Amino acid sequence: MVSASAMRAVQPAILSSFVGTHLLHSPQPLHQLFRYNPGSKHVTMQLSRGFSGLTDLLFNGRNAGEVLNAKRKRLRPGKVSPRRPVPDHIPRPPYVKSKKPPGIASGPEVHDHEGIECMRASGRLAAQVLQYAGTLVKPGIKTDEIDQAVHQMIIDNGAYPSPLGYGGFPKSVCTSVNECICHGIPDSRELEDGDIVNIDVTVYLNGYHGDTSKTFFCGDVDDAGRNLVQVTKECLDKAISICAPGVEFKKIGRTIQEHADKHRYGVVRQFVGHGVGRVFHADPVVLHYRNNDSGRMVLNQTFTIEPMLTIGSYNPVMWDDDWTVVTEDGSLSAQFEHTILITKDGAEILTQC
């Protein structure tokens, strides 16, 4: 029987990359979107709007014979250190006082000139923090040490680390290693030679969030891992390139899925991009796979695109911490993310140095 905490963990139909356990807007009843797997924490979505069991059969078992590297051990939880303090003078996002994730705010993040400049500042800081965090990735470093360094750099710049306290999340950054799809909690595990690790940084600066992530190589990564990471980055780049005022959001998912399919990689469906700005998560919900959702991009709108690809199964399984999400077969997963601004000429990437 699925425990109460597990039920909370698998309930969301579609999750933003950091929305925790909050149910998002859904055009279908919850029981029609999900099937619960007794005795597990599978986060499994029933396909709809043109997707069939045939699609799942063809693509969810992709590369089935190649997914596990015999030299790589399955990821296991480490020890999590106490929550790090933030100086009192640094403004907190409203959700910090509550352990309940606020979920997706209704309405898009569309900005005036001042708001755009604030978004550029928060995005630039997030990019700088991520770049610095990447320099720390090497065999032997603990993911908790990366969190400590990220936390310090963010508060030194007068910003708040957005993940800290979001729905009870205990750390200032997400570190998702190997088969971890997203929401990895930094802990006492040391990175090992051959690991890949996604570092997801969000900062809250002057009332605006900047959100970005990148998958880094730790030491000598094999070709399978390097190829997955490269294609995931290409998926993000291709998706950003088609963005402009009036473009349908569903083109993002189609662009990502087409490129992933060429390389026989899975695209994780339960975690999505989102509007970002004055709130951490806002409309629109940005799907990374083929879909028929409505909605078009508008001038001066900000949102994230953050595809997560897998070598094997794209079915996510959640750990007992109610945050860490891993692939069910232990196969590698990679992610890249940018916050973008829709301009009259297309899209401006806000989260780059």
Side-chain angles (χ1 to χ4, degrees), residues 33-318:
L33 279 164
F34 282 84
R35 57 181 182 270
Y36 298 112
N37 298 308
S40 74
K41 283 196 172 187
H42 285 72
V43 188
T44 306
M45 186 168 69
Q46 298 282 15
L47 302 183
S48 61
R49 294 192 292 274
F51 293 96
S52 68
L54 177 61
T55 304
D56 195 55
L57 177 65
L58 289 173
F59 293 112
N60 202 28
R62 64 184 75 212
N63 302 325
E66 310 168 12
V67 295
L68 286 178
N69 183 336
K71 297 180 181 180
R72 178 170 60 82
K73 297 178 181 178
R74 285 286 187 101
L75 198 62
R76 293 291 183 266
K79 183 178 179 181
V80 179
S81 64
R83 177 170 168 165
R84 294 187 164 89
V86 177
D88 291 339
H89 71 273
I90 294 178
R92 273 84 165 147
Y95 56 75
V96 172
K97 297 180 181 179
S98 171
K99 289 187 176 181
K100 183 179 179 180
I104 296 286
S106 181
E109 285 282 346
V110 179
H111 309 280
D112 58 16
H113 176 74
E114 181 179 356
I116 290 171
E117 290 306 313
C118 287
M119 283 300 298
R120 285 176 175 144
S122 63
R124 185 166 52 249
L125 176 59
Q128 291 168 346
V129 172
L130 181 61
Q131 183 181 60
Y132 170 60
T135 67
L136 304 176
V137 174
K138 59 183 178 181
I141 192 170
K142 298 175 182 177
T143 52
D144 188 57
E145 293 176 293
I146 295 175
D147 179 80
Q148 182 179 24
V150 165
H151 179 90
Q152 192 64 48
M153 183 174 179
I154 292 173
I155 64 174
D156 283 349
N157 281 274
Y160 184 91
S162 302
L164 186 62
Y166 185 91
F169 192 79
K171 290 296 174 181
S172 299
V173 69
C174 294
T175 52
S176 300
V177 181
N178 293 336
E179 69 264 36
C180 185
I181 295 171
C182 59
H183 302 170
I185 299 174
D187 61 21
S188 60
R189 181 190 183 277
E190 294 181 356
L191 292 181
E192 299 177 0
D193 186 61
D195 284 347
I196 63 173
V197 54
N198 176 270
I199 301 178
D200 193 336
V201 172
T202 313
V203 304
Y204 183 67
L205 178 66
N206 297 325
Y208 290 78
H209 297 271
D211 191 1
T212 186
S213 83
K214 178 178 179 179
T215 300
F216 296 92
F217 300 131
C218 181
D220 185 17
V221 175
D222 62 20
D223 288 343
R226 287 182 175 275
N227 291 339
L228 173 68
V229 171
Q230 178 62 33
V231 172
T232 307
K233 183 180 185 300
E234 290 170 359
C235 282
L236 175 59
D237 293 342
K238 287 176 179 292
I240 293 173
S241 72
I242 59 97
C243 292
V247 173
E248 296 174 302
F249 280 103
K250 66 183 180 182
K251 289 188 176 181
I252 291 175
R254 185 175 68 195
T255 299
I256 291 169
Q257 185 86 61
E258 285 179 352
H259 193 59
D261 284 353
K262 289 179 183 178
H263 297 270
R264 302 191 70 241
Y265 292 138
V267 180
V268 176
R269 303 179 177 200
Q270 288 84 349
F271 298 90
V272 300
H274 53 89
V276 65
R278 287 155 292 199
V279 296
F280 198 166
H281 300 101
D283 284 332
V285 169
V286 180
L287 304 181
H288 301 122
Y289 59 93
R290 292 187 188 90
N291 66 89
N292 291 319
D293 279 10
S294 60
R296 295 177 182 270
M297 304 169 198
V298 299
L299 185 66
N300 297 336
Q301 182 179 23
T302 52
F303 56 88
T304 71
I305 305 174
E306 43 194 297
M308 302 164 216
L309 269 58
T310 64
I311 287 181
S313 172
Y314 55 69
N315 277 345
V317 177
M318 186 172 285

